[in-house]
Amino acid sequence: EDISAIRVALGEADAVLGGDLVTTAGAKTIGLMKTGRTGAVVNSHQIITGDFTRDTEFKLPFDRLELQLEARLAGNLAEFDASELARALLGDSIFSNMMIVGAAWQRGLLPLSYDAIMAAIELNKAAVEGNKRAFEIGRWAVEFPGDAAKAISPVVVDKPKSLEEIIAYRADYLVDYQNAALKSRYLSLVDQAQDARLKQAVAKGYHKLLAYKDEYEVARLMLDVREKAQAEFDGNFTMRFHLAPPILSGTDANGRPKKREFGGWIMPVYRLLARLKGLRGTAFDLFGRTRERKMERALIAQYEADMAEVLPDVTPQTLDIAVELAELPLSVRGFGPVKMANETTAAKRREALLAAFRAGGADIVDAAE
């Protein structure tokens, strides 16, 4: 039957191939589906939207989105993480869409012959073998979801669990971040906390401030990413980086730093910056005069002064206040204007917590809010 409309009417979709859960479960798309008629195959990969870069507390309700689809499709829904499966088995998430096509065909949702689909892939002349393999993997994944899930099971990394391990891990990180002197500075303050819960709070909060991600650290981390990619993938490959250097980026219409794309030529720049990390915080710091870097250094000094006041005088009545104050830097997340806004909020909370501490912990809830 010929197609006589350019759009699918409400409730008249026979098949839905969802490249991501957010769009597929959105009101416009879900309105095209009808229980008993529509079948769908959806990539369940949890994407991070642009809202997260503007609001560090932003979270997408993935569970609710899945429930909406399941309620509408009543058993005619197949989901699997095609993005991670494509990365794990083919080395690139770009093949996830063809996996969804393969899964949909296997479920009988596409009225096309196998030969027709293979011919279309060949005619397209883009990563022909990769797309053919992705199609077959999609067919397999929808038939054997348990095996597909095992193929993308995350590598378990042993994270520090005990308090001693937490402190040692962060102390060693600071050596790579800058030098052994910074490690000693860190341990000197952490060791002043006597209560275990408070010591852990200081260990995390102080480390967060000391290891702020400036240009030197970003360069070091990008070199590490490149090294890991070379170990993971064979042959030649290119990497592109989207960055917003303060001295180059400018701002967009919303007043936020404008990101620019940098090619592989920037790797020598990364290597140079990583070697110059010893300049961090000195008079010769290339980036130390920006507003954000000045704020980060000021927060370190402020935190050290606060802990010098609080740690010697903690009582059972003020312990909870001291712990929250020590952990407060963890709320100053993000970069640029996002970080500045979070710091403003944290500064108000700090004043309330210090006032409550100095008052001996009385009316802690009212004083700290």
Side-chain angles (χ1 to χ4, degrees):
E1 184 177 334
D2 293 336
I3 297 175
S4 58
I6 61 173
R7 293 184 178 87
V8 178
L10 293 176
E12 293 191 3
D14 294 310
V16 174
L17 279 64
D20 71 80
L21 186 59
V22 175
T23 303
T24 309
K28 289 184 179 180
T29 308
I30 211 167
L32 305 176
M33 307 176 197
K34 183 178 180 180
T35 304
R37 173 173 181 166
T38 308
V41 177
V42 181
N43 181 358
S44 62
H45 184 70
Q46 297 187 1
I47 61 170
I48 301 298
T49 67
D51 295 286
F52 181 78
T53 64
R54 296 182 288 274
D55 180 2
T56 54
E57 300 298 327
F58 179 80
K59 293 182 180 179
L60 283 167
F62 289 107
D63 291 342
R64 181 168 60 81
L65 294 175
E66 289 181 348
L67 286 173
Q68 288 176 188
L69 282 175
E70 291 169 1
R72 179 59 61 95
L73 297 172
N76 289 325
L77 169 67
E79 291 181 275
F80 64 95
D81 193 333
S83 296
E84 283 303 314
L85 196 60
R87 286 194 189 96
L89 301 184
L90 297 174
D92 195 332
S93 63
I94 194 69
F95 292 108
S96 61
N97 288 336
M98 186 54 70
M99 286 187 181
I100 295 297
V101 173
W105 186 85
Q106 186 68 21
R107 296 266 294 188
L109 298 178
L110 301 181
L112 299 169
S113 70
Y114 179 87
D115 290 339
I117 293 175
M118 292 299 105
I121 292 174
E122 291 173 358
L123 284 172
N124 194 43
K125 296 181 180 179
V128 173
E129 293 306 315
N131 277 306
K132 284 184 175 181
R133 190 177 176 199
F135 183 84
E136 298 296 344
I137 292 173
R139 295 179 60 195
W140 163 76
V142 79
E143 289 292 331
F144 302 97
D147 292 337
K150 291 178 183 177
I152 59 174
S153 296
V155 176
V156 178
V157 177
D158 289 330
K159 291 186 176 181
K161 298 178 178 63
S162 70
L163 178 56
E164 291 74 16
E165 289 174 332
I166 289 172
I167 295 171
Y169 173 82
R170 285 166 171 76
D172 291 340
Y173 181 94
L174 291 174
V175 176
D176 293 332
Y177 175 81
Q178 188 155 4
N179 53 35
L182 191 63
K183 172 182 177 179
S184 298
R185 178 180 176 182
Y186 170 74
L187 291 175
S188 177
L189 181 59
V190 171
D191 288 343
Q192 293 178 39
Q194 300 303 310
D195 177 83
R197 187 159 65 97
L198 180 55
K199 178 171 285 194
Q200 179 166 311
V202 175
K204 292 182 177 181
Y206 192 34
H207 178 269
K208 175 72 163 58
L209 293 177
L210 289 176
Y212 58 88
K213 284 186 172 59
D214 57 8
E215 289 75 8
Y216 308 109
E217 178 65 353
V218 169
R220 186 181 74 86
L221 294 175
M222 289 302 101
L223 290 174
D224 187 51
V225 168
R226 173 75 182 185
E227 184 178 333
K228 290 179 179 177
Q230 288 176 322
E232 183 73 20
F233 302 109
D234 296 326
N236 295 324
F237 61 88
T238 59
M239 296 182 70
R240 292 182 175 85
F241 305 88
H242 293 84
L243 308 168
I247 60 175
L248 297 176
S249 61
T251 56
D252 59 19
N254 297 317
R256 297 186 179 279
K258 186 186 299 181
K259 288 194 174 183
R260 299 172 183 267
E261 182 181 286
F262 296 84
W265 61 265
I266 202 172
M267 297 308 297
V269 179
Y270 282 153
R271 283 190 282 271
L272 175 61
L273 286 176
R275 286 196 292 267
L276 293 176
K277 65 181 182 180
L279 299 179
R280 178 186 289 120
T282 71
F284 302 101
D285 189 340
L286 301 175
F287 311 98
R289 292 179 176 82
T290 65
R291 181 186 174 197
E292 188 171 347
R293 298 294 167 260
K294 289 179 179 179
M295 178 198 74
E296 288 161 341
R297 293 196 300 273
L299 287 177
I300 293 172
Q302 181 185 81
Y303 188 87
E304 291 171 342
D306 289 347
M307 292 301 104
E309 175 185 351
V310 168
L311 295 180
D313 296 324
V314 175
T315 66
Q317 291 73 33
T318 60
L319 178 59
D320 288 341
I321 300 173
V323 169
E324 184 177 348
L325 184 64
E327 290 180 335
L328 195 58
L330 301 180
S331 67
V332 186
R333 299 191 293 271
F335 301 93
V338 173
K339 187 170 189 176
M340 302 297 284
N342 286 333
E343 191 280 328
T344 299
T345 301
K348 295 177 181 178
R349 184 65 172 170
R350 169 183 169 269
E351 292 177 2
L353 289 169
L354 282 174
F357 183 87
R358 290 162 182 162
D363 300 322
I364 177 175
V365 175
D366 293 335
E369 288 185 348

